[in-house]
Amino acid sequence: MGVMQRIKKPTTRRGKKVLLSKEPQFIEGPKQCIFIQGRKPSERARKVLKDIYDLKKPDAAYLNRKNDFVPFEDATLIEKLCYKKEAALFGVSSHSKKRPHNIILGRTFNYGVLDMIELGAEKFKSMSEFHNMKVLAGLKPCLLFNGPSWELNHDLKRLKSLFIDFFHREKVETIRLQGLEHAFSFTATDDGNIYVRSYRILLKKSGQRTPRIELEEIGPSIDFKLRRTRLASDDLLKEACRVPRELKPITKKNISRDAFGSKMGRIHMGKQDIQRLQTRKMKGLKRTAEEKKEMLLKKKKAKKEAKAQAQ
């Protein structure tokens, strides 16, 4: 006889609050990320992952323990750690003779691996090698994708979406010019090279209202080479990107705009009695005493005629 699995309901208010926080939300905050050490990571791969972690903070966790596993062969460890840490993104560093200085970036959906992309760090210059002022942790960066390959190549198009997920933070409605302090530049070539550069945005005096913009490289500077990919199917990706019904904009009927941008609407109203329509009250439109007497006499006369006809 099989063992019946029971659903244990929370009995305390704190337990209910924990379960509600784990449920899907209509408006999600910044995605959490975990960075894991894989099989025998090299010093360069470890530093690359550490710099990405520094840029992702405070929405990230760095695990120092080395794990003897290959994500493309068995991803159960990643799924287990993502479930434990409530993380939707992950990064793994490893090193081998066939794939030196290896970096694997990926994301999960419903605690299962959705996408995994393997990159090789051919050249690297860490943030500590740039001796200048850095940006504060937790800033929302400006992402720049250079080159037509981001839209023409299917793998690079999915990698672009992955980079946006990694460095996307709170959703903002308006942008303040002084709030733009950090910029990321991703340049893709036709042969699969990706050049990642990080800049600090400086606002200089220009003698006008709009300041002069200068970029100062603060690191890291990474030259990636695209290697293996394991991408989700179109149906699974569509399910992962589905927008809840509550967040979809409600279409308003009978509303249009003219050539000048003015909003025009059509209103449906019932039949109105113009005789009983209340207009603006003013002394000049008031009835005199004689007019009121005539109205009373007409009403009395109409009542008498109605009684005579009824008899």
Side-chain angles (χ1 to χ4, degrees), residues 224-237:
F224 280 129
K225 181 71 175 180
L226 185 63
R227 290 177 180 169
R228 292 184 296 176
T229 60
R230 198 178 91 179
L231 307 178
S233 61
D234 294 336
D235 296 336
L236 184 59
L237 185 66

Side-chain angles (χ1 to χ4, degrees), residues 73-91:
E73 296 178 5
D74 186 13
T76 54
L77 179 63
I78 293 176
E79 294 173 353
K80 182 180 178 181
L81 290 174
C82 287
Y83 177 77
K84 183 179 179 181
K85 299 289 184 179
E86 287 292 320
L89 304 168
F90 63 89

Side-chain angles (χ1 to χ4, degrees), residues 113-215:
V113 174
L114 183 70
D115 291 330
M116 269 197 303
I117 297 178
E118 190 177 72
L119 303 169
E122 297 188 342
K123 292 182 181 180
F124 172 66
K125 191 176 180 182
S126 65
M127 295 174 65
S128 59
E129 297 180 37
F130 292 87
H131 303 287
N132 50 15
M133 188 183 294
K134 309 298 189 242
V135 295
L136 296 174
L139 282 177
K140 188 179 179 68
C142 177
L143 304 181
L144 306 173
F145 292 91
N146 309 310
S149 301
W150 292 112
E151 299 298 331
L152 300 178
N153 192 324
H154 179 66
D155 294 342
L156 289 177
K157 191 174 182 180
R158 196 67 66 86
L159 179 60
K160 176 184 176 181
S161 173
L162 185 59
F163 278 138
I164 292 173
D165 272 355
F166 256 86
F167 299 106
H168 174 73
R169 296 190 186 273
E170 294 83 1
K171 186 178 180 181
V172 294
E173 301 294 337
T174 57
I175 299 174
R176 189 170 65 95
L177 189 60
Q178 286 76 13
L180 291 174
E181 300 181 28
H182 190 201
F184 263 119
S185 175
F186 302 92
T187 305
T189 60
D190 296 333
D191 54 353
N193 291 323
I194 300 108
Y195 303 106
V196 182
R197 302 292 183 268
S198 176
Y199 301 97
R200 187 166 70 95
I201 301 174
L202 304 175
L203 303 179
K204 300 290 185 178
K205 291 183 179 180
S206 62
Q208 300 176 0
R209 188 175 181 181
T210 305
R212 180 169 55 89
I213 306 298
E214 289 187 2
L215 297 178

